Amino acid sequence: QVQLVESGGGLVQAGGSLRLSCAASGGTFRSYTMAWFRQAPGKEREFVAAINQSGGLTWHADSVKGRFTISRDNAKSTVFLQMNSLKPEDTAVYYCAADPMYPLGATSPMHYWGKGTLLTVSS
């Protein structure tokens, strides 16, 4: 079973950038599709971006496409989310997730979850 710990959240001004990290342990990292989800206050958790096991394929929600980029370092068992041109509507708790059998292009919830890291974007 894999454990996931997110870091890098904080307060940033609109238009700024931030990079989230998620460190995995307790499992074979390279066997998992990894993803980021987010949950804004009063809203349901939503898909943000995912990356396949090798890192060769990524897919992003339309709301973040062109601004956010997911990547992974299998040697360090870490997945990243680079966020640029941040908007106040990006304010949310960001969750790292992992799944050993996740269809390419899927946006449904995954099997394993971190506890989340809060991003607040001020206007």
Side-chain angles (χ1 to χ4, degrees):
Q1 182 172 341
V2 64
Q3 290 81 48
L4 305 171
V5 179
E6 303 93 338
S7 62
L11 174 64
V12 64
Q13 287 189 332
S17 298
L18 205 65
R19 189 177 80 159
L20 303 182
S21 300
C22 171
S25 62
T28 305
F29 182 74
R30 64 181 67 246
S31 70
Y32 293 96
T33 293
M34 301 297 298
W36 289 94
F37 290 74
R38 67 185 182 185
Q39 187 167 17
K43 296 188 177 181
E44 294 186 352
R45 192 174 299 187
E46 65 175 0
F47 171 84
V48 175
I51 187 167
N52 75 331
Q53 290 90 334
S54 69
L57 292 171
T58 64
W59 54 107
H60 298 74
D62 287 343
S63 59
V64 306
K65 204 169 290 183
R67 299 188 300 122
F68 292 10
T69 303
I70 189 171
S71 62
R72 66 189 294 163
D73 184 339
N74 283 347
K76 296 183 178 180
S77 298
T78 303
V79 63
F80 305 98
L81 186 67
Q82 178 65 44
M83 304 181 292
N84 300 326
S85 302
L86 284 162
K87 305 175 181 179
E89 50 263 45
D90 294 319
T91 294
V93 176
Y94 283 73
Y95 296 91
C96 177
D99 199 301
M101 298 186 70
Y102 197 70
L104 289 176
T107 60
S108 55
M110 285 189 161
H111 193 73
Y112 300 106
W113 296 89
K115 294 184 178 180
T117 186
L118 176 64
L119 169 68
T120 302
V121 183
S122 63
S123 56

